[in-house]
Amino acid sequence: MARTALTLVSLLALAGCSVLPEGGERGAGNSARQVASAAPRISNAPPVRQCLSELGLTRASFTPLPDRYFGGGCSTVGTVQLASLRSDQDQIALANIGPVTCNVAETFAGWARYGVDRAARQLLGRPVRAIETFGSYSCRNVAGSGRLSAHATADAIDVAAFVLEDGRRISVKQGWNGGSSAERQFLRVVHESACKRFGTVLGPAYNAAHQDHFHLEKVVEGSAFCR
């Protein structure tokens, strides 16, 4: 059984996160927002403690991160660094993911196990061994607006591809319209599964800016969007 990491690590700076719902380009966030406050501490709020406990029960491998405030509304509060997730039978590696709030991490863990790996076994005949992302935290606004993105508070993850046990790589960009019929079906099934778990899910059907990834965002009560 994978053991939950309990040691404190430094906050990982994530360069080049994802395109946001209204489009925009990848790259570093506003440099004026990048100076963190001093003496960061790991959140001890009861909801965070409970979430960490529940995330541990998923058998994910992760490390709690210190709370940090970067100015301009950007922050990483109650976040973890995910190392891997657990499927029914094995671990699922993660690529390029940075700090993500515990609640989103827990939702991601459930989706990876029940919505992704099981779909891969059924539709593609092999389990998933890795999920590639475009990242999570990035201090920026939604493109074309003055509203902060969910990435600015580590409340979103952008998923780019899935790597199977036999080495096949199923990317959103190549597979959504151009893959085999089984690959196209797999991507649509996992997209639909994400819509049942996350608050906002955006993919190639939304706009050209999302033609290469799934944007997975936290649940907000009374608000949901799947496209």
Side-chain angles (χ1 to χ4, degrees), residues 115-186:
V116 175
D117 185 65
R118 290 186 180 181
R121 291 172 186 272
Q122 179 179 354
L123 299 172
L124 302 174
R126 291 291 188 277
V128 170
R129 283 293 171 262
I131 297 176
E132 298 177 4
T133 84
F134 285 145
S136 48
Y137 172 75
S138 182
C139 185
R140 61 173 67 211
N141 289 334
V142 172
S145 79
R147 178 170 57 88
L148 280 176
S149 162
H151 288 285
T153 50
D155 281 312
I157 301 171
D158 289 339
V159 172
F162 308 90
V163 180
L164 305 185
E165 184 182 48
D166 60 8
R168 278 181 291 168
R169 181 176 181 271
I170 315 300
S171 74
V172 175
K173 182 175 182 178
Q174 300 297 327
W176 186 260
N177 292 317
S180 68
S181 60
E183 290 170 351
R184 292 194 299 271
Q185 183 182 8
F186 165 74

